Structures are given as structure tokens and as C-alpha cells.
């Protein structure tokens, strides 16, 4: 499910200092990454479902634009 950014933001702000890194082991649609980047934090997102990976990448590029420094590492082994 795509969570509202307003629901995620207080958790990111309370749990990670400015310049810190948020770990989201169930990235889903990338909301945590968007909120982290929008609040001067880095994020490491983990997701197994390839459909959600594409969705998260598309959402982050759309929401963060040229200011989003998105690095993607496809380490899936089959």
C-alpha cells in the first residue's frame, strides 16, 4: 500500500537526524525515500518485488526531480 507522506514524515524526523540515513527494509512504493530526501536525509530502500522497485523508482524521480540523487543497485540473483 502507498502510505501518505504525512504519515511517514514524523517517523523519519523523529528517528533520523539531518544528514543521517533511514533504512526501509520493505520499500514498497518508495514513500520513505521521498520523505527522507525531502527532509535532508539519505535512505536505503530494500524491496524484493520487481514491480514495486519500478514503481518506487518512477515515484521518486517524479517527486524529487533533478534534486533526487537516486542510485539503484539491482542485486537480484535468480
Amino acid at each position: 500500500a502507498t502510505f501518505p507522506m504525512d504519515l511517514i514524515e514524523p517517523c523519519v524526523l523523529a528517528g533520523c537526524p539531518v544528514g543521517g540515513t533511514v533504512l526501509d527494509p520493505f520499500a514498497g512504493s518508495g514513500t520513505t525515500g521521498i520523505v527522507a530526501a525531502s527532509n535532508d536525509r539519505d535512505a536505503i530502500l530494500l524491496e524484493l518485488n520487481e514491480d514495486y522497485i519500478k514503481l518506487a523508482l518512477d515515484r521518486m524521480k517524479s517527486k524529487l526531480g533533478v534534486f533526487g540523487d537516486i542510485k539503484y543497485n539491482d542485486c537480484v540473483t535468480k
Side-chain angles (χ1 to χ4, degrees), residues 49-75:
N49 185 316
E50 291 182 33
D51 293 334
Y52 280 110
I53 294 169
K54 180 172 176 7
L55 174 65
L57 288 169
D58 290 345
R59 282 189 73 226
M60 287 187 286
K61 288 175 185 174
S62 172
K63 295 284 186 184
L64 300 173
V66 297
F67 300 107
D69 182 18
I70 301 168
K71 294 175 182 75
Y72 169 67
N73 183 356
D74 182 1
C75 60

Side-chain angles (χ1 to χ4, degrees), residues 29-53:
S29 62
T31 304
T32 301
I34 295 167
V35 170
S38 299
N39 288 283
D40 299 319
R41 280 118 170 119
D42 293 326
I44 297 173
L45 309 178
L46 307 174
E47 181 57 57
L48 294 175
N49 185 316
E50 291 182 33
D51 293 334
Y52 280 110
I53 294 169

